[in-house]
């Protein structure tokens, strides 16, 4: 029986698969390229049902607010005044899918607080989010928790998310699996692709 994981109203939210995390920057996350084939396979299954997020740093630390200012004073090399513009883009093997995939930019970890994503999904009667990308313990975590709070069923293919610290990546996956068992489901990319077959209703 198919659609046990995803149902027929699932959308793939692919979090921050950007060149600034793939390339040699201070935010380089080596595991991004390790999960990239799995993420590509999920996007390719239904690119029109994929939303990519991009994390957009401020122009400079002075443009940031609150505690973000100190954060970017520490990470000044990752502000837009220092970064090559193409590093903010999606990695090329994923950028080719947009369009039909959509791109949502965000200045913070969460994709929810800009106010665009939830209405977009509600208009399409989406009830399930497949969440991939990085990092497992930061932006993916923010996406997962917001989705759960808003009532979405969440599916996380564990071989399609990455972190830059193995210990916290593993710890957060354990939390996902042990604390949210009726709202969040983990699986492999192979299991997901075997299940995710959109049919007309």
């Amino acid at each position: 029986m198919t659609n046990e994981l995803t149902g027929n109203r699932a959308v793939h939210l692919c979090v921050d698969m950007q060149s600034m995390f793939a390339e040699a920057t201070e935010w380089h996350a080596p595991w991004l390229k390790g999960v990239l084939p799995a993420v590509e396979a999920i996007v390719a299954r239904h690119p029109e049902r994929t939303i990519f997020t991009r994390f957009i740093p401020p122009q400079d630390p002075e443009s940031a607010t609150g505690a973000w200012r100190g954060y970017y004073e520490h990470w000044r090399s990752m502000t837009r005044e220092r970064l090559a513009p193409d590093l903010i883009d999606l990695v090329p093997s994923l950028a080719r899918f947009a369009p039909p995939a959509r791109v949502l930019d965000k200045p913070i970890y969460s994709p929810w607080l800009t106010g665009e994503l939830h209405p977009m999904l509600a208009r399409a009667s989406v009830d399930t989010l497949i969440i991939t990308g990085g990092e497992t313990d930061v932006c993916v975590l923010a996406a997962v928790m917001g989705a759960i709070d808003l009532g979405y069923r969440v599916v996380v293919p564990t071989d399609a998310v990455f972190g830059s610290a193995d210990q916290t990546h593993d710890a957060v996956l354990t939390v996902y699996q042990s604390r949210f068992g009726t709202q969040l489901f983990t699986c492999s990319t192979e299991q997901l692709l075997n299940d995710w077959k959109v049919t007309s209703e």
Side-chain angles (χ1 to χ4, degrees):
M1 181 177 179
T2 62
N3 293 86
E4 293 178 348
L5 277 171
T6 59
N8 204 40
R9 294 180 178 173
V11 159
H12 174 206
L13 184 66
C14 184
V15 178
D16 301 357
M17 293 289 287
Q18 294 164 258
S19 293
M20 64 183 177
F21 303 116
E23 304 302 330
T25 71
E26 288 197 87
W27 286 354
H28 175 59
W31 275 106
L32 184 152
K33 291 184 178 178
V35 305
L36 187 55
V39 175
E40 288 174 354
I42 296 169
V43 176
R45 172 58 56 89
H46 296 295
E48 75 287 355
R49 300 182 75 87
T50 293
I51 300 171
F52 292 111
T53 68
R54 298 192 310 170
F55 184 78
I56 308 297
Q59 179 65 25
D60 49 52
E62 295 71 34
S63 301
T65 59
W68 283 108
R69 180 169 294 189
Y71 179 86
Y72 283 110
E73 286 170 353
H74 177 78
W75 296 109
R76 185 177 286 269
S77 69
M78 300 305 296
T79 59
R80 297 203 314 275
E81 69 175 356
R82 301 284 180 88
L83 275 179
D86 62 330
L87 289 176
I88 294 174
D89 292 339
L90 299 170
V91 296
S93 63
L94 296 178
R96 65 193 173 96
F97 290 105
R102 290 164 286 182
V103 178
L104 176 69
D105 290 342
K106 59 189 178 71
I108 54 176
Y109 299 144
S110 174
W112 302 104
L113 296 185
T114 63
E116 300 171 63
L117 181 57
H118 184 45
M120 179 191 307
L121 297 173
R123 286 192 296 270
S125 299
V126 172
D127 60 12
T128 300
L129 283 180
I130 300 157
I131 299 181
T132 67
E135 293 188 27
T136 316
D137 50 354
V138 186
C139 292
V140 167
L141 177 60
V144 164
M145 295 308 299
I148 289 171
D149 278 343
L150 289 165
Y152 294 98
R153 189 171 185 272
V154 176
V155 179
V156 178
T158 57
D159 55 347
V161 292
F162 71 90
S164 57
D166 290 349
Q167 183 176 1
T168 50
H169 166 84
D170 293 344
V172 170
L173 288 182
T174 298
V175 171
Y176 290 166
Q177 293 162 338
S178 65
R179 297 290 290 171
F180 302 102
T182 61
Q183 297 161 303
L184 185 152
F185 303 87
T186 57
C187 63
S188 68
T189 293
E190 181 180 10
Q191 290 171 317
L192 175 72
L193 293 176
N194 285 338
D195 179 87
W196 196 20
K197 297 175 175 65
V198 176
T199 59
S200 58
E201 295 182 300

